[in-house]
Amino acid sequence: MAEGWDRADLVADGFTHVYVELEWWDGPRAGIVDIDDAPHYFERDEYESWERLDEYFV
């Protein structure tokens, strides 16, 4: 039987709660995510995203 995902384990691994992904193209481009237990809007720079796929503006 497959294991389920435990929220505490995911948070310990660096994951966070995403409320909604508003744009998606080769990965999330914009949305709302929890940072320090408060919702924040995030977006990725579409012109330079190929260089820094893991950097977002919050």
Side-chain angles (χ1 to χ4, degrees):
M1 179 182 280
E3 287 186 42
W5 296 102
D6 180 44
R7 187 179 196 285
D9 290 339
L10 291 172
V11 170
D13 287 341
F15 289 91
T16 188
H17 178 78
V18 175
Y19 291 98
V20 64
E21 293 170 348
L22 300 170
E23 292 183 42
W24 181 276
W25 184 264
D26 291 335
R29 298 181 71 61
I32 300 174
V33 64
D34 260 348
I35 298 176
D36 295 329
D37 296 322
H40 288 73
Y41 175 77
F42 71 90
E43 67 180 343
R44 188 170 72 193
D45 182 3
E46 68 180 77
Y47 299 110
E48 309 238 355
S49 63
W50 61 272
E51 293 178 350
R52 299 182 308 263
L53 293 175
D54 59 349
E55 292 184 9
Y56 294 85
F57 296 101
V58 177

